[in-house]
Amino acid sequence: MQPRDLSDHVAYEAGRGIEEVARELDRDPSEFIKLASNENPHGPSPAAAVAIRETASSVSSYPKAAHADLTTAVAGRWNVTDDQVWLANGGDGAIDYLHRTALEPADDVLVPTPGFAYYGMSARFHHGGVREYALSKADDFTQDADTVLEAYDGERVIWVTSPHNPTGSTMPLAEIERLADETDEETLIAVDEAYGEFADEESAIALLDGWDEFEARDDVAVLRTFSKAYGLAGVRLGYAVVPDEWADAYARVNTPFAASELACRAGLAAIDDEEHVVRTVETTRESRAYMRDAIDAHVWESQGNFVLVDVGDASAVAAEMQERGVIVRDCSSFGLPGCVRITCGTEDETERAVATLNEVLADLDVESSPADESDTEVADT
């Protein structure tokens, strides 16, 4: 007995954790800081931590009430109906729900490269095909409708990541609207805003509900997560906001109780913890600015809680930084072997990362990588 043919699937490659690295190097974990996975440097929302402790004794029950309460809270935050909010086990779960809803066997999705591997992984799980559009390093990874339309060939779902991981670039709302206007009626524009709280751009949810000058659309969906700004990556909580016309599909495609009791209660507490979000966003903006000013290499402008740095030889630089106690993301698996991604940390963490990187660059005497180095067949987060 063998599984089905998975030869065209790629394994998800997560950023390495402190405990894992410390064991491998036979070092004390306290020697390291981790700025590789775009996690919240201030930890979880304090209100969410309290809610998790208080909820622990009730996890023997299914999260029916909590699920409904959180759905209502998220809908209220975005001024949409409860039926438009699809809670999920992380943003990844929301990706699966949209693919379950949209894809017939052999339908294609169009995804950015470099980009998040799970868009393609999920499409293949649901027997869809995957095509790519390239964000060019030479153009500073600019995102606009023309870049996508040049590769577009009637795909059922187009994924736009804004802010984009690992580059930090965004696609302006007017460009997302134009992309939706110039693609087929049966093409869904799925906008992943996992890092949306850190960006200056308005959310693409404006296109669903007709905010401001926009008309309400039925061909755009938006993903959000509690992992980043709210600091709840470990409980796995995300959601999609979908058009009104899609409301009835959720009950047919979601897993029973799509988010756990702990996740829902944590989310209910975190969504009202504005102080934690504001502090996190402020730290991120200060860290981004400091890294752009102080790193002795090219740093792309970013709207995420990370920056992408051109270091010439990402594997060598990341390995040497790890030896010196700073874990960053080698972006070779994104198709960017000359770049590392550094998460925005606290002031102390950011200063240590910058000092370490500058020392490593000087010691290794590496040069920046070629400007056209951007294509890949495998990408991660």
Side-chain angles (χ1 to χ4, degrees), residues 185-216:
E185 289 184 3
E186 295 303 312
T187 292
L188 176 71
I189 311 301
V191 185
D192 185 346
E193 295 182 346
Y195 302 96
E197 286 84 0
F198 306 105
D200 294 330
E201 296 285 345
E202 187 175 11
S203 172
I205 294 172
L207 299 176
L208 277 79
D209 212 39
W211 300 352
D212 301 328
E213 74 274 20
F214 302 107
E215 294 184 7

Side-chain angles (χ1 to χ4, degrees), residues 87-224:
L87 296 185
N89 181 34
D92 315 332
I95 292 169
D96 283 336
Y97 292 158
L98 290 177
H99 284 161
R100 290 180 195 178
T101 305
L103 296 181
E104 297 283 0
D107 280 347
D108 287 341
V109 302
L110 187 62
V111 305
T113 181
F116 183 29
Y118 196 71
Y119 304 142
M121 293 169 65
S122 174
R124 292 185 178 102
F125 295 157
H126 295 89
H127 303 282
V130 182
R131 298 185 64 252
E132 297 176 336
Y133 63 92
L135 302 182
S136 170
K137 183 179 180 183
D139 292 333
D140 290 330
F141 306 105
T142 297
Q143 296 196 74
D144 56 30
D146 287 338
T147 299
V148 183
L149 291 169
E150 287 174 3
Y152 175 66
D153 189 26
E155 285 78 14
R156 177 66 162 148
V157 181
I158 296 174
W159 283 98
V160 174
T161 315
S162 184
H164 179 259
N165 177 27
T167 70
S169 67
T170 58
M171 183 178 287
L173 211 52
E175 290 296 295
I176 296 173
E177 182 182 44
R178 185 162 74 88
L179 180 60
D181 282 339
E182 297 185 23
T183 50
D184 296 344
E185 289 184 3
E186 295 303 312
T187 292
L188 176 71
I189 311 301
V191 185
D192 185 346
E193 295 182 346
Y195 302 96
E197 286 84 0
F198 306 105
D200 294 330
E201 296 285 345
E202 187 175 11
S203 172
I205 294 172
L207 299 176
L208 277 79
D209 212 39
W211 300 352
D212 301 328
E213 74 274 20
F214 302 107
E215 294 184 7
R217 308 192 63 98
D218 63 0
D219 55 356
V220 174
V222 179
L223 265 66
R224 285 265 171 164

Side-chain angles (χ1 to χ4, degrees), residues 164 167-169 198 288 292 300-308:
H164 179 259
T167 70
S169 67
F198 306 105
R288 286 190 316 220
R292 278 181 59 81
W300 280 273
E301 187 172 348
S302 173
Q303 293 286 311
N305 67 339
F306 54 85
V307 297
L308 185 71

Side-chain angles (χ1 to χ4, degrees), residues 66-375:
H67 199 279
D69 291 345
L70 180 56
T71 297
T72 298
V74 172
R77 175 58 55 94
W78 295 111
N79 194 31
V80 296
T81 67
D82 286 15
D83 288 341
Q84 289 179 264
V85 175
W86 293 4
L87 296 185
N89 181 34
D92 315 332
I95 292 169
D96 283 336
Y97 292 158
L98 290 177
H99 284 161
R100 290 180 195 178
T101 305
L103 296 181
E104 297 283 0
D107 280 347
D108 287 341
V109 302
L110 187 62
V111 305
T113 181
F116 183 29
Y118 196 71
Y119 304 142
M121 293 169 65
S122 174
R124 292 185 178 102
F125 295 157
H126 295 89
H127 303 282
V130 182
R131 298 185 64 252
E132 297 176 336
Y133 63 92
L135 302 182
S136 170
K137 183 179 180 183
D139 292 333
D140 290 330
F141 306 105
T142 297
Q143 296 196 74
D144 56 30
D146 287 338
T147 299
V148 183
L149 291 169
E150 287 174 3
Y152 175 66
D153 189 26
E155 285 78 14
R156 177 66 162 148
V157 181
I158 296 174
W159 283 98
V160 174
T161 315
S162 184
H164 179 259
N165 177 27
T167 70
S169 67
T170 58
M171 183 178 287
L173 211 52
E175 290 296 295
I176 296 173
E177 182 182 44
R178 185 162 74 88
L179 180 60
D181 282 339
E182 297 185 23
T183 50
D184 296 344
E185 289 184 3
E186 295 303 312
T187 292
L188 176 71
I189 311 301
V191 185
D192 185 346
E193 295 182 346
Y195 302 96
E197 286 84 0
F198 306 105
D200 294 330
E201 296 285 345
E202 187 175 11
S203 172
I205 294 172
L207 299 176
L208 277 79
D209 212 39
W211 300 352
D212 301 328
E213 74 274 20
F214 302 107
E215 294 184 7
R217 308 192 63 98
D218 63 0
D219 55 356
V220 174
V222 179
L223 265 66
R224 285 265 171 164
T225 182
F226 283 83
S227 294
K228 309 302 181 183
Y230 295 100
L232 298 181
V235 301
R236 312 306 301 127
L237 180 62
Y239 59 91
V241 181
V242 304
D244 252 336
E245 292 80 359
W246 287 47
D248 292 343
Y250 184 49
R252 301 175 186 274
V253 299
N254 74 333
T255 54
F257 308 108
S260 72
E261 177 75 5
L262 286 176
C264 287
R265 293 299 176 190
L268 276 166
I271 201 170
D272 289 326
D273 191 353
E274 291 290 342
E275 181 179 351
H276 184 70
V277 173
V278 168
R279 181 188 182 204
T280 298
V281 172
E282 288 177 349
T283 296
T284 294
R285 289 177 174 167
E286 291 167 359
S287 177
R288 286 190 316 220
Y290 181 79
M291 286 193 280
R292 278 181 59 81
D293 288 342
I295 289 176
D296 296 334
H298 180 68
V299 180
W300 280 273
E301 187 172 348
S302 173
Q303 293 286 311
N305 67 339
F306 54 85
V307 297
L308 185 71
V309 187
D310 193 347
V311 297
D313 185 342
S315 296
V317 169
E320 185 59 30
M321 289 187 71
Q322 181 174 282
E323 285 286 341
R324 303 185 192 195
V326 179
I327 305 169
V328 299
R329 187 59 188 260
D330 172 359
C331 289
S332 297
S333 59
F334 284 96
L336 298 171
C339 299
V340 297
R341 189 190 66 196
I342 307 176
T343 301
C344 296
T346 63
E347 182 177 355
D348 288 345
E349 288 172 338
T350 300
E351 289 178 355
R352 179 179 172 187
V354 169
T356 302
L357 175 56
N358 287 343
E359 291 168 1
V360 168
L361 291 174
D363 290 348
L364 296 181
D365 193 24
V366 295
E367 297 179 356
S368 293
S369 50
D372 61 353
E373 176 186 57
S374 61
D375 293 338

